[in-house]
Amino acid sequence: MQARAVLASALAMVLTLAGCAQPDGTLAPIGAPQPVESTVPPTPSPRPTRAKPPKPTLRPLPAKLPAGLRRSTGVRPVALTFDDGPSPAWTPKVLNQLRAARVTATFCVVGREVQRHPELVRRIVREGHQLCNHSWRHDLELARRPVAEIRADLSRTNKAIQAAVPGAKVRTKRVHSAARPGAVVLLHDGGGNRGETLAACPNVIADLKRRFGVTRLR
């Protein structure tokens, strides 16, 4: 019996050294494949990519341009317009020349330039010139874009223009400088936010009463 125990122990040791024993000490069948640790690094999972929204399809150009694009003043004098500003390099020089010539003009301003240079917009208004909405970034394809996109572009530019001009003070100054005996002063109490008109009314009314008096339109 002792010889058999010694023989069994020796056999177990030989099998262990030959790699046939499991980590828990049990014997694996002879010839069974042994697990091999992989040296190849795992493949990283691909990161999800954000799909860019498709650009809206541009509408085709009309075969014939709509009527009414050609405008005139309707009188003998001509009108001056300046587009794509305001520019800190050029707009002040243009304004200086207009002031020297004692004429006014219309400035068709671009929304993003208005946002960058609001002080120039205030000067344009202060010196009696008109402002015109020339879209947010002068998009040459704007007329071909969806109608909702066109409206949003022009609305954004209008808001930038309104934010650049100090409302109540400008209204007060313009009424004061333009009013004459018998003049009809047009203000608005609807059609949008008229908070600046409301703020200007006390000074406008007091100024007009003092200088001319106020009466009903006949």
Side-chain angles (χ1 to χ4, degrees):
M1 294 292 294
Q2 187 174 4
R4 288 182 181 179
V6 172
L7 181 60
S9 298
L11 180 60
M13 183 175 296
V14 170
L15 292 174
T16 299
L17 292 176
C20 296
Q22 302 287 1
D24 57 0
T26 61
L27 298 180
I30 297 176
Q34 300 299 314
V36 180
E37 293 186 3
S38 173
T39 57
V40 180
T43 305
S45 348
R47 294 183 179 179
T49 56
R50 292 184 181 178
K52 293 184 179 179
K55 294 183 178 179
T57 305
L58 295 178
R59 295 181 296 176
L61 289 173
K64 184 179 179 181
L65 292 178
L69 292 182
R70 192 181 182 105
R71 296 280 305 274
S72 72
T73 64
V75 292
R76 181 175 176 79
V78 302
L80 295 174
T81 65
F82 294 89
D83 289 7
D84 305 341
S87 160
W90 302 108
T91 304
K93 297 175 182 179
V94 170
L95 289 169
N96 291 343
Q97 292 192 4
L98 294 173
R99 182 169 56 188
R102 297 184 180 181
V103 296
T104 56
T106 299
F107 286 80
C108 300
V109 293
V110 178
R112 63 181 180 183
E113 298 304 322
V114 169
Q115 198 172 60
R116 291 170 182 164
H117 311 291
E119 72 287 350
L120 292 179
V121 181
R122 289 192 284 270
R123 181 181 170 186
I124 290 170
V125 173
R126 187 169 61 248
E127 296 187 6
H129 306 287
Q130 290 182 317
L131 292 175
C132 173
N133 185 328
H134 206 43
S135 81
W136 182 254
R137 58 181 180 87
H138 200 296
D139 181 3
L140 297 178
E141 302 289 355
L142 183 61
R144 301 177 60 196
R145 299 193 184 282
V147 174
E149 190 173 334
I150 296 173
R151 287 176 178 164
D153 183 290
L154 298 179
S155 175
R156 183 183 184 188
T157 306
N158 277 341
K159 289 178 181 178
I161 293 172
Q162 292 166 358
V165 181
K169 291 182 180 179
V170 168
R171 284 168 173 78
T172 303
K173 287 181 179 179
R174 294 187 75 173
V175 171
H176 177 82
S177 62
R180 300 288 184 271
V184 177
V185 179
L186 173 63
L187 302 171
H188 290 84
D189 63 344
N193 186 342
R194 302 304 178 188
E196 297 296 343
T197 299
L198 186 65
C201 273
N203 291 331
V204 167
I205 294 171
D207 177 66
L208 294 175
K209 284 180 67 175
R210 178 179 58 80
R211 295 166 62 201
F212 312 108
V214 178
T215 187
R216 290 196 324 177
L217 185 65
R218 299 180 183 183

